[in-house]
Amino acid sequence: MISLIYLFSLVSLVKTSDYSLIIDEKSSIDKPILNFPHSYELINNFQSNFNLTNNNTKLILTKMIDRDEWCAKNICPCDYCSFILELFSNHNQIPKFSTVNITINDINDHTCEFFDTQTNISLSESIQIGHRFSIARAIDYDSGMNGKLSFKLLNNEDYFELDIITLSMNEYAIYGVVKKSFDREINEKYELIIEAHDHGLLQTRFNRTKVIIELLDENDNAPKFNQIEYSIQSLPENTPIGTELLTISASDTDKGLNSLIHYSIVNSPSLSLFPFAINSTTGVISLQSSLDYETTHTYRFLIRASDSGLQQSLFNDAWCSISIKDVNDCPVEILFLPNRRFHYDNQKLFIYENTEINNLTLGYIRLVDRDSIQTKLSISLTILDKQPKQEYEIILSNQLNSYILIAKQGIFDREIQSEINLRFIATDNLLTSIYDIQINLIDLNDNPSEFLMNPMKFSVEELANYHMVEHPIEDYELTIGYLNVVDRDEGENAVNIYELESNSLVKIDSNTGRLYLIQPLDREQIQNIQLKAKAINVAEPKWMTDVQIQIEVLDVNDNTPQCLTTYSRLPILENFPTDKPLIKINASDLDNGINGTINYKFRTNSTWLFHINNVTGEIYSKDLFDYESDFKHFTLIIDLEDNGNPIKNQNQNACQLEIFLEDINDNCPELIDNEQRKIFIDLENPFENEIISFNVTDRDSGINGKIKYNLQSIESNINLNNNQTLFYLNQNGSLFMTYKINQICLFKLRILLEDYGYPSQQTLIEINIAFGNSLDSRYSSFENVQTFFQEKNSDMNYFAFIFGLTVLIITFIFLISVMIICILIRQQHQRHKAAIISRNKLLCSSSQQLTTSDSTVTSNTTSSSIEHQQIIRAPYSNERSYMNPRLSINCSTPESHTYKILHVPLDMHYYEKDKVDNISSDHGYHESYRTGSSSSSSSPEQCSTENYTRQDHKFNQLPYFVTKCKSLSEGFIVEMNVDGSDEDTR
């Protein structure tokens, strides 16, 4: 029967798996259990029990498998223990995923075990025949027939018999049944021996247990559940902790304490972490720890109801089954398998630099989702580096949820980018997983060493000479410095040794590059040393780098700073700018460099108004000097020290400076009392000629503070003939009136206050004087008088505004009219000009030109006058002719004129042609026709060529305004009519 089951399972697995295997539990380890045709790699290792050997072609066990333990822990089903191993192969560069279905065969290696054995059972002597009571539970952890048990009572068969209830495939509940009434006075104790044996095919295992039964007189009813078995179907695995799941109920027909029921859960000994709890009083089952469908699919446990009998507590058990429903709570697992060319460890992929990239396969990716809910898995790639140097891509392989990671193009260079950080993000549309891979480039010695600078400069003090002479030490070495070489490689590839050209002063440590003296130096004899050195790589290829070395011998600080002028007296004008130095302290130090650099500082704190530049010795004022303040004299002491080591200073020869302030004219005269700007004079009260004496001050001293007064202007709202002589201003600041007035008025005086300094400071003040009448409320105060005249001025301003606006509108209309007239005149002029230009084509042919020669102007028979001349160019000819035609104008009618060219020569020499071109244009026709352009105008007539037959100068066509064209032996006579409207009246 077992063989048939295994055979059926094997046939079903062959359809879905590449390999199948059946092994016995507790098989030997480290022995091959399956051979493969080529090498594989394990993707998952079920419970870490397997491994591959012999070039990954043989599968072995690494740990002994206890099938029964797996069954108890729900690692695999008890009835059929089977699982899948996933393998990966890259044979012949073809990636392939394979599976092995492994079935664990059970052996009879366990003996029946008794649990919850009631070794001392108390029964009421009045208990009814057929009463059933719990004795124990028995379990055999084997499977199939090896776990099937049979039970036998070995003694007291007359009073008791066994009732066996199968709880599961290999678990049983043992109950005793009373067959005969008891009499406690005859026998109050019974001993039962129970034997259990399994049904193993090859061998049978058995075990025994002993139970003592005592008879009592009380509590002879056990609790009873309201149903045989309780169950919960499809409990979501994400159910919150503390959720109440189910209420268990049982009843007891006893009374008092014997009917008080307490509930409890009888845990299976194989479950160490149990997620459920029951309230002992209410029977409510609740969740006390989180569920995980991927760990345990179902729970089945016993619930016990016990009464509270005083001498003995009776109980009854019922089963509770809870099935767990899977939810999508497991993120996608990302498995990365590297290319065998590269080493991979702890999510780090190691690749040699200078590896060429051309769709290079870096590894393979497999996505696994432990949830039973089928979802679509997806993955994306992100490069975490800010400026990636290569492009990477994941492409789908030929297997489900499998991908290939490739680098597209370029080359790996560790010196440009030593590591690349890739992040894979996988999702099942709900949960997201992140898997990071770091690509570390393994260094190659592909870079020569480089010195930070070339030449490398060092310095050593001449004092080293005295150290070496006064304190001689055997093999004394004074370090000058180190050759700083940089190699972009790392590790052994960056190790260098150093060589220095032979000399008698300096040597080098070949390992560290340390330069050191081998004999004393004297700066007065040797100021600098020039050497050559090289750095050589230890690793192959041995790169070599040369460098120039310059060693400067430095001076020591053996001189003290000295002040060139120990005492100075400095007069300073007040308001001297703070950004300019008052004076520069001059000092010197005979040392060189930093030893001769001098620091300047004040000795005492009384110099709060000053600060000194420590480097230049320039002294500045922190604030502007004010001669009008209490401080007019300052004494400063400046100490000197250099920056050498040790510091040299000379306080005894410090510089002393005395500063005296001098006044400048920096203050303007000011009117102290602003009330004096408004003066009210009551005409009802007599007053003296002096109106007021101004209270004016100037904060400067001496002549800079002396003030003179000048009355600049007087404005009034009334007309007085002698308005400008009404007031007189004395130089002591007193204002007088030269005569009295008796009307209400308002005066504005502008007074210039000026001091006698150079340049002088001036202030212009305005004084308003109102003449009012205290008896009239309209003019009883300065403000009333001022308000009265302001309202009066506002009315006048309003009328002035209206008048000005009217003038502006009239002017605007006039300008618009002028512009329109000018536009019309211009348009008429342009039309006239266009008509004249259209009639300027006066000659006979479009391809010939005429030139003028001397001619006479004759008048018409009726009336004519010579007004204009028309210059016409003749065609070029080799013959010379100096004849000039003359033009006559027929003015018989005002509507038209007749122009006659009496004589036109046939030919003219080229020289004469140029002369004609320079003749000015005529004045007889508007926009004169200068040079006779070609014309294509048609004419019904054509000049005759009877007397002269040269074809080069024939007039082919005549314009419509030519009336006659007669050929002569010397040329042509042309007569034309032109509309009189073309004349330009001059």
Side-chain angles (χ1 to χ4, degrees), residues 421-666:
N421 294 282
L422 305 180
R423 171 166 291 178
F424 302 99
I425 302 175
T427 180
D428 59 1
N429 297 329
L430 181 62
L431 300 177
T432 300
S433 299
I434 294 176
Y435 189 84
D436 292 338
I437 291 179
Q438 184 182 89
I439 300 176
N440 291 282
L441 300 182
I442 302 174
D443 184 52
L444 297 175
N445 189 17
D446 57 346
N447 291 282
S449 302
E450 298 177 359
F451 286 93
L452 296 179
M453 60 181 66
N454 191 1
M456 295 194 69
K457 298 181 180 180
F458 301 93
S459 61
V460 61
E461 295 180 352
E462 63 171 332
L463 195 60
N465 175 37
Y466 307 108
H467 286 315
M468 299 180 72
V469 172
E470 297 179 3
H471 308 284
I473 301 176
E474 186 176 359
D475 297 331
Y476 185 90
E477 298 175 353
L478 181 65
T479 299
I480 299 174
Y482 291 82
L483 295 184
N484 295 323
V485 67
V486 176
D487 198 318
R488 298 176 63 196
D489 298 318
E490 63 180 3
E492 185 179 356
N493 296 329
V495 177
N496 295 272
I497 59 174
Y498 302 89
E499 293 182 1
L500 182 68
E501 68 174 337
S502 178
N503 67 93
S504 60
L505 301 174
V506 181
K507 283 191 175 182
I508 190 171
D509 188 321
S510 62
N511 295 321
T512 64
R514 183 175 70 92
L515 295 171
Y516 56 90
L517 288 175
I518 57 177
Q519 71 176 20
L521 293 178
D522 189 352
R523 191 187 68 85
E524 284 70 29
Q525 296 181 2
I526 301 175
Q527 296 184 359
N528 55 73
I529 302 172
Q530 303 283 342
L531 298 173
K532 293 182 179 180
K534 63 181 64 175
I536 305 172
N537 271 141
V538 174
E540 294 291 340
K542 297 183 179 293
W543 298 98
M544 184 180 300
T545 306
D546 296 330
V547 66
Q548 295 287 334
I549 299 175
Q550 296 180 0
I551 303 174
E552 181 184 3
V553 182
L554 302 179
D555 195 12
V556 297
N557 189 22
D558 54 355
N559 290 284
T560 303
Q562 298 291 330
C563 191
L564 300 182
T565 303
T566 58
Y567 174 80
S568 299
R569 189 176 186 276
L570 180 65
I572 296 295
L573 295 175
E574 66 169 328
N575 292 340
F576 191 87
T578 58
D579 58 342
K580 294 183 179 180
L582 301 173
I583 191 173
K584 183 179 183 301
I585 303 300
N586 294 318
S588 64
D589 192 319
L590 299 179
D591 291 324
N592 294 328
I594 194 172
N595 295 328
T597 301
I598 302 174
N599 286 333
Y600 303 84
K601 62 180 180 179
F602 291 128
R603 177 176 296 181
T604 62
N605 293 330
S606 62
T607 59
W608 60 269
L609 192 60
F610 305 91
H611 71 91
I612 189 170
N613 188 312
N614 295 338
V615 178
T616 63
E618 295 175 336
I619 298 177
Y620 295 84
S621 173
K622 295 180 180 178
D623 200 354
L624 294 176
F625 294 110
D626 190 357
Y627 185 83
E628 288 71 33
S629 66
D630 297 333
F631 300 96
K632 297 180 177 61
H633 174 259
F634 305 92
T635 300
L636 308 179
I637 299 177
I638 299 93
D639 290 331
L640 312 175
E641 67 179 19
D642 59 26
N643 291 330
N645 187 15
I647 295 175
K648 298 290 185 178
N649 54 48
Q650 181 63 280
N651 291 337
Q652 295 80 9
N653 193 26
C655 304
Q656 184 174 354
L657 175 65
E658 289 193 20
I659 297 176
F660 298 90
L661 294 185
E662 295 181 353
D663 184 37
I664 62 174
N665 188 21
D666 59 343

Side-chain angles (χ1 to χ4, degrees), residues 858-866 888-893 897-898:
T858 61
S859 61
N860 199 14
T861 57
T862 57
S863 61
S864 63
S865 61
I866 299 176
S888 65
I889 302 173
N890 185 4
C891 299
S892 59
T893 64
H897 299 286
T898 299

Side-chain angles (χ1 to χ4, degrees), residues 646-907:
I647 295 175
K648 298 290 185 178
N649 54 48
Q650 181 63 280
N651 291 337
Q652 295 80 9
N653 193 26
C655 304
Q656 184 174 354
L657 175 65
E658 289 193 20
I659 297 176
F660 298 90
L661 294 185
E662 295 181 353
D663 184 37
I664 62 174
N665 188 21
D666 59 343
N667 291 284
C668 297
E670 298 178 358
L671 180 64
I672 298 176
D673 189 1
N674 283 327
E675 296 295 332
Q676 294 183 342
R677 296 179 183 271
K678 297 180 180 180
I679 304 172
F680 179 72
I681 299 177
D682 189 0
L683 296 178
E684 294 296 327
N685 297 325
F687 63 94
E688 298 296 334
N689 290 336
E690 182 179 355
I691 300 175
I692 194 172
S693 181
F694 292 111
N695 190 2
V696 179
T697 183
D698 192 320
R699 297 179 62 239
D700 291 323
S701 301
I703 194 172
N704 293 329
K706 186 177 180 181
I707 303 171
K708 56 183 175 180
Y709 302 85
N710 185 10
L711 183 56
Q712 295 288 314
S713 64
I714 301 174
E715 296 180 6
S716 174
N717 61 335
I718 61 174
N719 293 324
L720 297 177
N721 295 330
N722 50 359
N723 192 13
Q724 297 297 326
T725 60
L726 179 60
F727 299 96
Y728 171 74
L729 182 60
N730 202 338
Q731 288 305 309
N732 61 0
S734 298
L735 181 64
F736 294 90
M737 289 187 66
T738 56
Y739 60 90
K740 293 183 179 182
I741 61 176
N742 295 317
Q743 59 179 336
I744 305 300
C745 56
L746 185 65
F747 290 90
K748 180 185 290 186
L749 280 65
R750 289 184 177 86
I751 299 175
L752 181 65
L753 307 178
E754 183 179 8
D755 58 26
Y756 286 85
Y758 181 81
S760 63
Q761 299 286 344
Q762 299 176 347
T763 301
L764 184 64
I765 63 174
E766 290 186 356
I767 305 298
N768 293 293
I769 302 176
F771 289 85
N773 190 340
S774 58
L775 299 180
D776 191 343
S777 59
R778 295 177 300 171
Y779 317 114
S780 60
S781 64
F782 178 88
E783 287 74 13
N784 292 342
V785 175
Q786 188 178 40
T787 302
F788 171 77
F789 287 108
Q790 287 178 350
E791 293 176 352
K792 185 176 180 181
N793 291 333
S794 63
D795 294 338
M796 296 180 64
N797 292 335
Y798 174 76
F799 290 114
F801 172 75
I802 296 299
F803 177 77
L805 181 61
T806 303
V807 173
L808 180 62
I809 293 173
I810 295 173
T811 304
F812 178 75
I813 294 173
F814 174 75
L815 292 176
I816 293 298
S817 302
V818 171
M819 292 174 62
I820 293 173
I821 293 172
C822 292
I823 292 172
L824 294 175
I825 293 174
R826 180 176 178 85
Q827 290 178 349
Q828 180 65 25
H829 179 73
Q830 290 178 348
R831 286 195 298 268
H832 182 69
K833 180 179 179 180
I836 294 174
I837 293 175
S838 65
R839 292 169 174 82
N840 279 340
K841 298 176 181 181
L842 304 178
L843 297 180
C844 299
S845 175
S846 60
S847 60
Q848 295 178 342
Q849 294 179 342
L850 300 176
T851 185
T852 59
S853 60
D854 293 338
S855 62
T856 60
V857 179
T858 61
S859 61
N860 199 14
T861 57
T862 57
S863 61
S864 63
S865 61
I866 299 176
E867 294 181 348
H868 310 288
Q869 286 187 352
Q870 175 71 28
I871 308 300
I872 303 175
R873 299 182 59 182
Y876 171 76
S877 175
N878 291 330
E879 299 178 5
R880 294 193 175 184
S881 175
Y882 300 97
M883 301 184 326
N884 294 324
R886 296 183 177 269
L887 181 66
S888 65
I889 302 173
N890 185 4
C891 299
S892 59
T893 64
E895 289 81 9
S896 63
H897 299 286
T898 299
Y899 292 79
K900 293 183 179 179
I901 301 176
L902 300 181
H903 182 212
V904 179
L906 285 174
D907 299 312

Side-chain angles (χ1 to χ4, degrees), residues 337-351:
L337 298 174
N339 190 329
R340 289 186 176 181
R341 292 177 54 189
F342 314 127
H343 177 65
Y344 184 72
D345 183 26
N346 194 21
Q347 297 184 226
K348 292 184 179 181
L349 188 65
F350 298 90
I351 303 175

